[in-house]
Amino acid sequence: MLEPAYQVDVVVVGAGAAGLAAAHRLTSAGVTTAVLEAAPEVGGRMSTERVDGFRLDRVGRPLATPGTELRTVPGLEPLALRQFAPGVLLHRDGRRHRAGAPAPVGGARGALHVARALASAPRGPVAVLPGRTGTPVGGAWDQARLNAALARIAATPVDRLLARPEQAAADALAARGVPARTVEGFLRPLLATLLCDPELTTSSRGADLALRAFAGGRLSVPEGGAEVLPERLARALPPGTVRTGVRVTSVSTTSVTTAEHGVLRCRAVLLATDARAAAELLPGLRVPGFHPVTVVHHTTDDPGPALSTGSSLLLDADRGGPVAHTAVVSNVDPSRAPAGRTLISSTVLGTPPEDVDAAVRSHLSRLYGTSTNRWETLAVHHTPDAVPATRPAYDPHRPVRLLAGLYVCGDHRDTPTLQGALHSATRATTAVLTDLGVASSLHLADPPATMPRAA
């Protein structure tokens, strides 16, 4: 019996970060690859809108992935990351306190047990941040104790965190004896920001991993906008690899059918779409819940916010309005705003209020200590499926090999972060190369021979 005439070895469906990273690993191994993307541009949720010279991220999630990890991904070696100031600024009781800037030390401890160090830490002196608002920052906790605890978290092995008993993050904080003032004053606003989960329903294991990533480096954003990362990956692939505007309607282990471009025959298919789109093509896949995210972008000629917060990420520990975190992003990455203009980006987690812009403006006036009446609204981006929910029971390494010839990757198969999406791509491409008989130096991926019951 003659072998079918394959047009390409592997078809990757979806040109987000996971799909493009997977294509790099496949092409680097000598495997012919086609990446099909339904949208007119690559990137998926990592997209950026351009308005009057501003670059406005649609999701606007700060990266907690160390730059060194991103630079191990083929095609991302020259990626520039712009870092926020160390730690975060916490707005509480009308004052701002800086917390969470670790100094490297040895040792290891469960991530959420940082609160035990915080709970017994004495209150220190209050410092005043330069600027016309004169808002106090720091002094809510003993910074040395906090820094040492975060550094120990950064050194904790991942497998030790994943072996800990699991429950919802909010319940774990209470079960581990964390005082309410510590939860509300530091851990809840920080974890809500890292997880995009204001109620902390996320698995405690996911919370541990997120806090470990935060403790291991600085929060950052890609220079030029979130779109730069997938665009750089796409440009570094062989010409013709990525095909946008191609909508896939069905997949099998040996072919992909498209709406307007016929059938593409192949030896394997890797689904790298979001979880909902993947389940539409493979109904056996489980669709998780999602955390919605709304980002509101403003500009102003008022120098107050820029002077008072600098390049810090500002979190609201009081939960006194819809904004979970905000920043003068043009201070972090000047390329995101025209010269002489200020870009302030603010994130609302969960269901936004009906008049989200008015509610956000009112909240920002308190957070920044200035009037927002004359601020100009540049864009309001609402993404209902922004971040996959990872409630207990949580498996950070869900299967990527569904059948021989059929694979899936993305942040819904790993941790719901950029790092998780890229790691799932590594696992999936390892499985693909193993099944195709191609030598690979990548880590071995999941080996089930049939579709898992809860795939």
Side-chain angles (χ1 to χ4, degrees):
M1 181 176 178
L2 295 177
E3 291 292 324
Y6 296 113
Q7 295 168 278
V8 68
D9 289 324
V10 180
V11 175
V12 177
V13 182
L20 294 169
H24 269 282
R25 296 187 181 278
L26 292 169
T27 57
S28 297
V31 175
T32 58
T33 304
V35 181
L36 307 183
E37 171 56 52
E41 299 175 345
V42 302
R45 284 163 288 166
M46 294 195 71
S47 62
T48 304
E49 183 183 15
R50 304 192 181 202
V51 177
D52 298 334
F54 292 91
R55 300 184 180 190
L56 314 175
D57 283 355
R58 292 187 177 275
V59 175
R61 194 176 181 189
L63 302 180
T65 301
T68 53
E69 294 188 17
L70 288 182
R71 283 190 284 272
T72 64
V73 178
L76 287 184
E77 295 86 349
L79 179 69
L81 295 178
R82 293 290 186 172
Q83 295 182 330
F84 289 90
V88 294
L89 277 183
L90 294 162
H91 186 275
R92 189 177 189 189
D93 299 330
R95 302 190 303 179
R96 299 183 203 146
H97 310 277
R98 182 171 300 281
V105 297
R109 185 173 295 179
L112 293 180
H113 277 281
V114 63
R116 290 183 177 173
L118 293 175
S120 60
R123 298 198 177 253
V126 173
V128 177
L129 192 69
R132 67 185 184 90
T133 60
T135 307
V137 296
W141 304 279
D142 181 345
Q143 292 299 301
R145 294 280 302 272
L146 172 57
N147 292 350
L150 288 174
R152 288 194 295 271
I153 292 166
T156 303
V158 170
D159 56 356
R160 185 177 300 178
L161 295 181
L162 295 179
R164 295 182 56 80
E166 182 186 26
Q167 56 190 138
D171 296 335
L173 291 173
R176 296 175 189 180
V178 183
R181 69 173 179 82
T182 304
V183 173
E184 300 302 325
F186 178 65
L187 286 176
R188 179 179 288 278
L190 176 62
L191 287 172
T193 292
L194 298 176
L195 303 169
C196 295
D197 176 12
E199 303 307 320
L200 299 189
T201 59
T202 297
S203 163
S204 56
R205 293 175 180 173
D208 283 345
L209 293 175
L211 199 53
R212 180 183 187 273
F214 169 80
R218 296 261 292 275
L219 296 176
S220 62
V221 291
E223 183 179 39
E227 69 176 7
V228 170
L229 188 149
E231 285 180 350
R232 192 178 297 275
L233 284 172
R235 286 197 302 267
L237 287 167
T241 299
V242 181
R243 309 174 195 182
T244 58
V246 179
R247 184 168 62 89
V248 173
T249 57
S250 66
V251 299
S252 71
T253 57
T254 57
S255 68
V256 168
T257 302
T258 68
E260 298 173 346
H261 299 81
V263 177
L264 186 63
R265 294 183 297 275
C266 56
R267 298 172 64 195
V269 175
L270 172 56
L271 285 182
T273 65
D274 61 72
R276 201 177 299 281
E280 291 176 357
L281 293 172
L282 291 176
L285 288 179
R286 183 178 63 193
V287 180
F290 295 91
H291 297 302
V293 171
T294 304
V295 183
V296 184
H297 299 279
H298 293 104
T299 184
T300 175
D301 295 328
D302 178 10
L307 291 176
S308 67
T309 61
S311 59
S312 296
L313 188 66
L314 175 60
L315 282 55
D316 183 21
D318 290 329
R319 293 202 287 178
V323 176
H325 56 88
T326 181
V328 183
V329 179
S330 52
N331 283 351
V332 182
D333 177 10
S335 71
R336 297 188 181 221
R341 302 296 301 275
T342 298
L343 173 61
I344 301 169
S345 299
S346 308
T347 297
V348 176
L349 302 177
T351 303
E354 185 173 346
D355 190 347
V356 62
D357 185 45
V360 165
R361 283 174 180 269
S362 176
H363 195 185
L364 292 179
S365 69
R366 298 193 300 275
L367 294 178
Y368 286 106
T370 188
S371 172
T372 60
N373 292 336
R374 300 183 64 182
W375 289 16
E376 177 187 351
T377 303
L378 297 170
V380 178
H381 296 140
H382 177 65
T383 307
D385 294 353
V387 179
T390 55
R391 299 180 177 92
Y394 166 59
D395 180 5
H397 298 126
R398 294 181 63 194
V400 292
R401 182 185 188 273
L402 304 180
L403 298 167
L406 190 59
Y407 313 84
V408 63
C409 67
D411 60 0
H412 53 98
R413 313 306 295 182
D414 209 284
T415 58
T417 61
L418 173 62
Q419 182 180 9
L422 298 175
H423 185 240
S424 75
T426 297
R427 294 193 294 125
T429 51
T430 301
V432 172
L433 296 174
T434 299
D435 288 350
L436 294 181
V438 178
S440 171
S441 61
L442 303 176
H443 297 296
L444 187 62
D446 314 69
T450 59
M451 185 173 293
R453 184 175 303 171

